[in-house]
Amino acid sequence: MKKSLMLYALILALLFNVYTYMFLSKEVTFEQDRYSRVTTKLKDSLKSVTNKLADANYFSLEKNENAQNYFDSGSAEKTIQYEKLIPVVTEKLLDFNSNPKGNPYVGQDQIGANKFIINKVRILNHRWIIADFSDGEIWGEVLLKYFVNDDESIAFEVNQSLLYQK
């Protein structure tokens, strides 16, 4: 009786161990497969976002080699580094927001009580800028030309401006 009880306990322990081993090995396989699927999905998502970002930045001075080469004169003293030019041009354009009648480079006269100011600026290449402006109620966009003069001052010229309907 004692021997059969020990035999049953041994068989039960053996079955329990086999069951535990099978369960844990399948769980590890399941987790590895799940990890692979999630990793693949994340890599695909990252690739998609990277491609969308590259498409969004297609029209920008940072990505346009031809426009960057425009500022390379061949002379080290006269070469303008576009990385430093972008924040300078943006800052100069936004400085006009302090004008009491609004930023003169929005291409629109003041309509209501508030003045038009430029909110967001995107330098497209060595010549053009697109900017978003508003007076708090009315929104619009403007396409500007910009020029870097010989004395390194920056001049702006309104090419076209539009207002959105309320």
Side-chain angles (χ1 to χ4, degrees):
M1 177 96 171
K2 244 184 182 180
K3 282 188 176 184
S4 63
L5 189 59
M6 288 293 273
L7 183 63
Y8 287 131
L10 182 64
I11 291 172
L12 189 60
L14 185 63
L15 285 174
F16 183 72
N17 284 338
V18 168
Y19 175 78
T20 304
Y21 172 75
M22 294 303 290
F23 174 78
L24 292 177
S25 66
K26 288 195 187 259
E27 183 182 29
V28 167
T29 305
F30 172 77
E31 289 296 328
Q32 287 173 341
D33 289 345
R34 190 169 126 214
Y35 175 78
S36 296
R37 284 193 310 267
V38 169
T39 303
T40 304
K41 204 181 279 187
L42 288 175
K43 284 180 183 176
D44 291 345
S45 295
L46 183 61
K47 188 175 182 180
S48 172
V49 168
T50 303
N51 289 339
K52 285 181 183 179
L53 182 61
D55 286 346
N57 284 331
Y58 181 78
F59 289 106
S60 69
L61 183 57
E62 295 98 346
K63 301 292 181 192
N64 188 336
E65 229 175 277
N66 293 325
Q68 294 168 9
N69 291 338
Y70 175 82
F71 296 113
D72 188 11
S73 68
S75 168
E77 300 88 43
K78 293 207 171 196
T79 298
I80 300 172
Q81 295 178 351
Y82 72 92
E83 301 95 342
K84 293 181 181 176
L85 178 70
I86 293 169
V88 169
V89 169
T90 302
E91 183 180 327
K92 295 273 187 204
L93 186 57
L94 292 176
D95 283 347
F96 288 104
N97 285 345
S98 62
N99 188 328
K101 292 187 177 192
N103 195 315
Y105 295 108
V106 297
Q108 302 289 330
D109 294 328
Q110 185 173 341
I111 295 176
N114 298 328
K115 63 183 183 177
F116 283 115
I117 60 169
I118 291 179
N119 302 312
K120 199 160 188 79
V121 175
R122 175 67 166 239
I123 300 177
L124 300 175
N125 57 25
H126 64 288
R127 186 63 64 223
W128 295 336
I129 298 172
I130 190 167
D132 170 72
F133 64 89
S134 76
D135 68 354
E137 294 178 19
I138 302 171
W139 296 84
E141 292 178 355
V142 61
L143 184 63
L144 300 167
K145 286 183 180 179
Y146 74 99
F147 306 93
V148 179
N149 301 321
D150 290 337
D151 63 351
E152 295 188 9
S153 65
I154 307 211
F156 300 99
E157 179 182 305
V158 176
N159 192 4
Q160 195 164 13
S161 177
L162 67 90
L163 288 174
Y164 291 111
Q165 298 293 324
K166 283 187 178 181

